Amino acid sequence: MAHLLVGSLFCTFGCGGSPEIEVTAADPVSKPRVSDREANLDGVVLILQYHRVVPNAGPYDRTPEDFRKDLQRVYDMGFRPVSLMSYLDNKMDLAPGASPVVFTFDDSSISQFKLLENGEVDPECAVGIWLDFAKEHPDFPLIATFYIMPNPFFGQPKFAEKKVELLKEWGCEIGNHTMTHPNLSKMSDEEAKKEIAEVIDFANRFGFRVDSIALPMGIFPKNRELVKGFTYNGKTYAMRAALLVGANPAPSPNSEKLDPYRLPRIQAVEGDYGITYWLDKIEKGDVKPFVAP
Ligand SMILES: [Zn+2]
């Protein structure tokens, strides 16, 4: 539902105005040009994959400092965040000269989204860092997909409801990361369906749609068709996309190569095929990103 909320938000500003109101380039609604790069509708799209954002970062984590630097670097390079669904729908709301970036966070750890006892967002969690960044850079709002496991749902069970409300308010998406993070290829169809279906039920109880799955470890169930949808306990489940773990940019939404059930992501880690590796390549001009006209 989150992407629909975003859509309606923009409509209040952008569409359906009375015919007397002339919309010009100077209109505050139109987004200022981000770069003088030429439009490139066939360029690649970065789907970034984050795990924990913690001071003592392991090999798959990012420190709060790294995360601040990532936001600043992609911002300075002309990237602006879009939702996964707007990418798949090829309806990315981008300023002229901007490139899209999709942020995804796996495992719903508390380091991604933590509330302090007074209910405020912890400024050192990923969400808090991004909200601070967005205050300085209003054209880089918090738009991300969180691939959750209900246990833990960002830790802090007492704040679950409040976190869901905030995620909705910001226009974030919730995705499926299964109940227990198993190797789905080692499960029977029924076991795999249970892992996937129960996350959708959990999110639906909070009024959230779940339109995509980030496969644990990037491993498909034996029956790959299950990521598209299935019937379980008499109920029908469907998803529009499946995300992998590595390791390269995703095709343009205009590309015939785009397979929504095999979307590659770039891990927010250093080293080969990580975020810095790909941003360096884009900066050098070796890889051409999508650029909005
Ligand atoms: Zn995971």
Side-chain angles (χ1 to χ4, degrees):
M1 196 53 95
H3 53 288
L4 294 178
L5 288 174
V6 172
S8 59
L9 197 66
F10 282 115
C11 283
T12 11
F13 297 122
C15 350
S18 91
E20 290 97 85
I21 299 171
E22 198 189 344
V23 178
T24 67
D27 190 280
V29 167
S30 59
K31 297 186 172 189
R33 176 166 278 280
V34 162
S35 77
D36 55 9
R37 290 175 297 168
E38 261 181 52
N40 180 13
L41 299 180
D42 298 320
V44 296
V45 174
L46 303 188
I47 305 178
L48 300 177
Q49 177 191 13
Y50 284 85
H51 290 100
R52 298 185 309 159
V53 176
V54 287
N56 298 313
Y60 299 107
D61 304 323
R62 218 71 180 133
T63 66
E65 207 37 53
D66 293 332
F67 186 56
R68 281 188 194 97
K69 280 189 196 150
D70 291 348
L71 294 176
Q72 190 69 57
R73 186 166 186 204
V74 292
Y75 183 86
D76 291 343
M77 287 176 68
F79 288 92
R80 296 294 180 269
V82 300
S83 70
L84 182 72
M85 289 305 133
S86 71
Y87 158 61
L88 291 176
D89 290 337
N90 202 359
K91 288 184 177 164
M92 301 181 288
D93 186 37
L94 288 165
S99 293
V101 56
V102 179
F103 279 80
T104 69
F105 292 85
D106 286 11
D107 306 335
S108 51
S109 95
I110 191 168
S111 73
Q112 294 166 2
F113 189 7
K114 182 179 176 187
L115 295 182
L116 301 172
E117 279 312 305
N118 64 8
E120 284 177 19
V121 177
D122 182 342
E124 285 301 297
C125 72
V127 162
I129 291 167
W130 193 332
L131 290 174
D132 275 348
F133 186 83
K135 267 186 220 150
E136 304 280 316
H137 308 86
D139 56 343
F140 204 92
L142 170 59
I143 298 173
T145 306
F146 292 90
Y147 287 93
I148 63 153
M149 295 183 293
N151 301 304
F153 177 61
F154 305 113
Q156 300 182 296
K158 66 177 173 181
F159 287 135
E161 198 103 15
K162 172 144 196 200
K163 287 183 182 180
V164 168
E165 288 314 315
L166 287 169
L167 290 173
K168 278 185 194 164
E169 189 184 313
W170 296 323
C172 289
E173 295 173 350
I174 280 184
N176 200 328
H177 204 43
T178 70
M179 289 301 286
T180 67
H181 214 277
N183 179 339
L184 288 171
S185 74
K186 298 210 183 306
M187 300 186 120
S188 69
D189 279 9
E190 283 310 294
E191 286 168 334
K193 286 181 187 179
K194 180 177 159 70
E195 283 283 344
I196 297 168
E198 288 183 354
V199 176
I200 298 177
D201 290 341
F202 172 85
N204 288 171
R205 278 201 290 279
F206 287 108
F208 247 112
R209 292 176 60 90
V210 175
D211 290 313
S212 60
I213 180 168
L215 296 161
M217 288 91 69
I219 300 171
F220 279 89
K222 262 187 278 209
N223 174 2
R224 289 187 170 218
E225 296 296 303
L226 292 186
V227 300
K228 298 180 181 173
F230 51 81
T231 303
Y232 178 70
N233 278 348
K235 201 170 150 190
T236 302
Y237 296 86
M239 282 173 296
R240 297 185 49 202
L243 284 72
L244 307 174
V245 166
N248 45 280
S252 156
N254 298 304
S255 168
E256 282 176 10
K257 287 188 193 144
L258 174 63
D259 176 354
Y261 293 103
R262 276 198 78 82
L263 288 175
R265 291 190 287 175
I266 292 167
Q267 294 206 46
V269 296
E270 297 307 317
D272 280 355
Y273 309 106
I275 182 171
T276 303
Y277 172 96
W278 286 111
L279 290 177
D280 287 351
K281 276 202 176 298
I282 289 169
E283 216 159 49
K284 282 190 211 130
D286 296 345
V287 172
K288 308 276 185 212
F290 182 104
V291 180

